[in-house]
Amino acid sequence: MAKRHGGFILMSRHTEAYSSFVERLGEIDLLIALARKKERNDAVLHRKEINAFCRGAVVLLSSHVEAYVKELGECALERFYQRRVDRSGMSSRIFFNISKEFVADIKDTADPEKIAEKIFLFIESDLTFWAKHGAFSLQIPVEKFNKGFSNPAFDKIKSYFSRFGYEDYRRDFYRDLGINAQTTQNMLDGMVALRNNIAHGDVSATRTPREISEMTDIIKNFCRCTDSIFSRWCKLHHCPIR
């Protein structure tokens, strides 16, 4: 995100998506603060309330990570359109993910007449996006592109970035975080597993306020690193997105 200062344009260190994510973490901080207050008063007496606050914090944190990844992808797609990036350097996966619903529909249809009808619908809706040269003439439909991504586990996020043609996400992530990379990945995947257990009604699936605070710090660092390496890749291959 660019900011003007003294007549000069300064580029933000982070994307708008990351800034929004950090702002939303205030909800997690609020829940942790409420849980800690109950803990200080009487941890045994208030254990149900403490667990409720902590379980809610895990679900919110997972949702915020999912939203962040989607918004980071949206930020890239918007910049590709706004800065009129030439499509000749783009991975074919970008085009596939714009129209994947049409592709799946056609693939699963056997009747020739129905196939033809679906192809006509595809032409009317998406043909303008399908060209290997020149800039996009319309804003890329982010809802179509992001469809199917809902689980912010590490491998799922890696797969999401491959939609752009970014195949080296894991390598860059481990290179950027070094000795902390594995711990960070484990925390992310552990958060998703815990969130799933909570959603499936496991009453024992919870963490202490201190553990939630530690989880939030590590997840925040995960998103900071992701923001940095994906922005770097976009700048190298397409255009700046910060």
Side-chain angles (χ1 to χ4, degrees):
M1 181 168 53
K3 297 180 180 179
R4 186 173 293 277
H5 179 74
F8 296 94
I9 298 295
L10 302 178
M11 298 307 294
S12 171
R13 292 180 58 201
H14 306 294
T15 64
E16 295 171 6
Y18 181 77
S19 298
S20 296
F21 168 74
V22 172
E23 185 175 344
R24 290 194 296 267
L25 288 182
E27 294 180 326
I28 313 300
D29 294 337
L30 176 60
L31 290 173
I32 293 173
L34 291 170
R36 281 176 166 164
K37 184 177 180 180
K38 293 287 185 181
E39 197 175 46
R40 286 193 299 269
N41 288 340
D42 191 325
V44 176
L45 180 65
H46 299 299
R47 66 184 181 279
K48 289 184 178 179
E49 294 97 321
I50 294 168
N51 281 343
F53 288 134
C54 290
R55 284 158 63 86
V58 171
V59 173
L60 269 179
L61 183 57
S62 180
S63 296
H64 289 334
V65 175
E66 177 186 330
Y68 161 70
V69 174
K70 288 180 178 177
E71 288 174 13
L72 183 59
E74 290 171 15
C75 181
L77 295 174
E78 287 173 3
R79 295 298 185 274
F80 296 168
Y81 170 70
Q82 293 166 352
R83 301 189 179 194
R84 302 191 59 78
V85 175
D86 191 270
R87 284 174 282 187
S88 61
M90 292 185 181
S91 168
S92 295
R93 293 190 181 191
I94 290 179
F95 305 98
F96 169 79
N97 280 285
I98 291 172
S99 303
K100 57 180 175 283
E101 283 188 290
F102 282 115
V103 174
D105 234 7
I106 293 168
K107 182 180 177 183
D108 294 338
T109 303
D111 181 79
E113 187 167 341
K114 290 183 178 179
I115 291 174
E117 290 173 2
K118 294 177 187 299
I119 291 174
F120 277 123
L121 288 174
F122 160 73
I123 291 171
E124 291 173 8
S125 173
D126 286 8
L127 189 62
T128 185
F129 299 109
W130 284 77
K132 290 299 289 181
H133 299 280
F136 286 106
S137 59
L138 293 175
Q139 176 69 56
I140 302 167
V142 295
E143 314 82 28
K144 290 184 175 183
F145 189 91
N146 282 342
K147 189 160 185 168
F149 174 75
S150 61
N151 182 337
F154 188 87
D155 284 345
K156 297 290 186 180
I157 292 173
K158 179 168 70 72
S159 178
Y160 174 78
F161 288 127
S162 74
R163 298 183 185 190
F164 293 86
Y166 182 23
E167 300 291 353
D168 294 323
Y169 171 74
R170 187 182 190 281
R171 182 204 67 186
D172 294 343
F173 179 84
Y174 271 73
R175 181 180 295 170
D176 191 90
L177 281 186
I179 60 173
N180 295 319
Q182 188 64 63
T183 301
T184 304
Q185 178 180 343
N186 290 346
M187 182 63 81
L188 176 71
D189 289 341
M191 175 202 69
V192 172
L194 182 61
R195 181 264 172 208
N196 290 341
N197 288 339
I198 292 170
H200 293 148
D202 183 352
V203 295
S204 66
T206 189
R207 294 290 185 274
T208 66
R210 182 186 62 79
E211 289 171 332
I212 299 296
S213 182
E214 178 185 0
M215 177 186 295
T216 303
D217 288 342
I218 293 175
I219 296 300
K220 181 179 178 181
N221 197 41
F222 164 80
C223 291
R224 179 211 58 77
C225 176
T226 295
D227 208 71
S228 175
I229 61 179
F230 183 64
S231 296
R232 191 164 60 230
W233 180 85
C234 285
K235 183 178 181 180
L236 178 64
H237 293 277
H238 299 300
C239 70
I241 66 171
R242 300 188 196 188

